[in-house]
Every structure is written in structure tokens, then in C-alpha cells.
Amino acid sequence: CLHCGDIYAMPSAFRRRYPSTFIIIDATELHVETPSSLSLQSKLFSKYKDNCTVKGLVGITPNGMFTFLSQLYTGSISDRKLVIECGLLTLLESVPSGKNVMADRGFEIQDL
């Protein structure tokens, strides 16, 4: 439920500083066993983790409620491509105007 973020349930310091934040997103990577296939190894290899991983996108409301969990993708996927492919953008179309998505600097998604 993307609309479950109640502004009054936010920590007061967060509410004062980021009142228009609707969802906070981040990618998470899980280590997986290195496959014997070199082709699959290259798809699963994460430069960030320097290992074979699968990667997913997580979204929480400012008050800490999980509101979005993507399926898992190969570890080589960029954060930008993950946001595009996981379906979050479609869900965000229903978000009221004036609301913002918060992500760390590594997410180059300002233009999406």
C-alpha cells in the first residue's frame, strides 16, 4: 500500500525537514553461490559487493512501514535500471503531486 504513509506518524525531526517525502527507496543485495556458468557469473557479479548477488528494491514510508518490495534481479543491474524495470514508477503515478521519493546519491533517477 503506497498510500499508507501518515505524515503525523513520521518522527517529528524528519517531518520538519522532509515534509513532502512520500517513500524512501534503497537497493539491497544478497550474496548467492557463484554459478559454474561464466555467462551467469557475469550477470550476477556486483561491482559494488565484488561478489555474485541478486538485487532488489525496497521502499518504506517515512514512519518505517514497508510499502514496496521488488522481485530480485541479477546483481549487475544498475540502481537506475532496477527502478525502471521493477514496476515502482507505475505505482508512483498514483501518488499525489508535490510528494517526493527519497533515495541516496547513488540513485541517478531525478529525471524519471
Side-chain angles (χ1 to χ4, degrees):
C1 170
L2 280 177
H3 297 285
C4 294
D6 180 358
I7 189 168
Y8 299 105
M10 286 186 203
S12 60
F14 189 95
R15 183 173 56 236
R16 280 191 305 275
R17 191 146 188 216
Y18 308 105
S20 63
T21 299
F22 185 74
I23 188 171
I24 303 163
I25 62 170
D26 200 7
T28 187
E29 293 188 66
L30 305 169
H31 288 251
V32 295
E33 187 174 326
T34 302
S36 57
S37 162
L38 293 178
S39 173
L40 188 53
Q41 278 182 36
S42 71
K43 290 177 185 171
L44 289 172
F45 189 78
S46 164
K47 291 179 185 176
Y48 179 71
K49 294 289 185 180
D50 196 32
N51 212 320
C52 288
T53 66
V54 289
K55 189 174 188 177
L57 190 72
V58 176
I60 63 167
T61 62
N63 63 351
M65 181 187 304
F66 281 88
T67 57
F68 183 81
L69 297 170
S70 76
Q71 69 181 35
L72 297 175
Y73 293 81
T74 57
S76 62
I77 193 169
S78 69
D79 290 344
R80 179 182 176 84
K81 190 168 182 181
L82 178 62
V83 169
I84 292 168
E85 292 194 9
C86 74
L88 179 64
L89 295 177
T90 302
L91 293 173
L92 290 175
E93 289 173 2
S94 66
V95 173
S97 64
K99 296 294 184 178
N100 293 313
V101 175
M102 182 180 278
D104 77 28
R105 282 179 248 196
F107 280 80
E108 297 180 11
I109 58 171
Q110 297 84 353
D111 63 320
L112 297 179

